[in-house]
Amino acid sequence: MARHKQKGWNSRLLAAALGVTVLAAGASMWTAQAEQVGGRPKASDSAPDTRVAKVAVDIAHASDRGPQGVNITIDDGPDPAWTPQVLQLLKDNGVKATFCMVGTQAQAYPDLVKEVVAGGHRLCNHTVSHDTAMDTKPEAYQSQQILDAERMITKASGGVRPEYYRAPGGAFTPYSRQLAASRGMRPLGWNVDTKDFERPGADTMVATVKREIADGPTILFHDAGGDRSQTLDALREVLPWLREQGYVFGFPVR
């Protein structure tokens, strides 16, 4: 999976998360639950969380609706300007989606997180600060990014846990996948990258979906990080077109 070129957005997120990251690296509630075994942090086994369902560690792409299922996934929010518009558009089309949220964004806009949940959509952990170089960082850092984001999103939602984990830019590692799965978050990939972050034009995004949807069901859009008006325009055309082609909307498998 290609990495997104989002340096400006990443810089803003990293700056916003600096205080969280500094504190979390040494004293995070979740990180404090990790044990050092041979120098490798792992989720504590001493107090199993009965709310955590077992999920596979491999990266999910398939839909829970079978061969005709498609998964709409929305990354990087929530955002006060764009997430409400995306939610309204999904509601108008009778579509449920998976929202991959950045921890600092969820913490800043808890009412939007709750609105996503109330709409019947699912939550996905997209780390604390959207660091696309996570796969080059120490395991302790990966742990902090994943577990602190889980805590932020769960708190913002009012107790609803993220069901998936999507590494920023696809920067998964075997360790991060295992850690996420141990917390009940299925690693989540994508098949169709609309590249809406680059704002190529709604027509180009729609053409990408139509051309690539046969390759797999999980489609990537964004609801934060800049002007998402092209994303909205593309969704207005893509969602009814997919239904006309006989597709049904679902969630990624867990």
Side-chain angles (χ1 to χ4, degrees):
M1 292 179 287
R3 296 176 186 244
H4 299 300
K5 296 180 179 178
Q6 304 173 1
K7 294 181 180 178
W9 175 234
N10 290 342
S11 297
R12 290 193 295 274
L13 283 170
L14 285 167
L18 181 59
V20 173
T21 302
V22 169
L23 290 172
S28 159
M29 176 181 69
W30 287 104
T31 308
Q33 294 179 356
E35 298 172 345
Q36 293 293 332
V37 178
R40 296 165 62 89
K42 69 167 188 172
S44 175
D45 299 327
S46 59
D49 190 332
T50 57
R51 297 173 298 170
V52 174
K54 291 183 178 180
V55 296
V57 301
D58 59 307
I59 299 172
H61 296 88
S63 174
D64 65 1
R65 297 297 300 274
Q68 288 302 111
V70 293
N71 309 318
I72 303 298
T73 64
I74 314 289
D75 282 20
D76 292 3
D79 180 274
W82 302 105
T83 302
Q85 296 183 68
V86 171
L87 286 170
Q88 186 61 54
L89 185 53
L90 293 170
K91 182 178 179 180
D92 292 344
N93 285 272
V95 174
K96 306 301 182 187
T98 300
F99 284 77
C100 299
M101 295 187 174
V102 173
T104 51
Q105 294 293 108
Q107 184 173 255
Y109 305 108
D111 289 345
L112 288 178
V113 182
K114 293 180 177 68
E115 189 175 344
V116 167
V117 172
H121 309 286
R122 289 187 182 178
L123 302 177
C124 172
N125 179 337
H126 205 33
T127 75
V128 172
S129 56
H130 200 280
D131 183 353
T132 58
M134 266 187 64
D135 55 345
T136 68
K137 305 293 178 62
E139 289 174 354
Y141 175 83
Q142 297 177 48
S143 176
Q144 175 265 317
Q145 285 284 309
I146 294 168
L147 298 180
D148 280 1
E150 180 192 7
R151 173 181 57 82
M152 292 174 179
I153 294 166
T154 302
K155 181 178 180 181
S157 72
V160 179
R161 303 164 64 92
E163 298 186 46
Y164 307 92
Y165 164 65
R166 174 173 275 167
F172 289 100
T173 66
Y175 173 78
S176 68
R177 289 190 292 108
Q178 187 279 329
L179 177 61
S182 77
R183 299 294 306 164
M185 296 178 288
R186 178 72 184 268
L188 176 59
W190 63 83
N191 305 103
V192 181
D193 185 355
T194 62
K195 299 189 185 300
D196 61 334
F197 206 95
E198 299 175 4
R199 296 197 289 275
D203 290 344
T204 298
M205 296 181 216
V206 172
T208 297
V209 173
K210 291 181 176 181
R211 182 177 65 252
E212 298 183 9
I213 190 61
D215 297 333
T218 302
I219 308 173
L220 174 60
F221 290 98
H222 294 82
D223 64 342
D227 186 339
R228 300 271 70 86
S229 57
Q230 291 184 9
T231 299
L232 292 168
D233 290 341
L235 283 167
R236 287 190 187 94
E237 185 171 345
V238 160
L239 298 180
W241 179 85
L242 287 167
R243 187 166 275 126
E244 290 167 3
Q245 305 308 303
Y247 291 103
V248 292
F249 296 97
F251 295 110
V253 295
R254 298 187 71 242

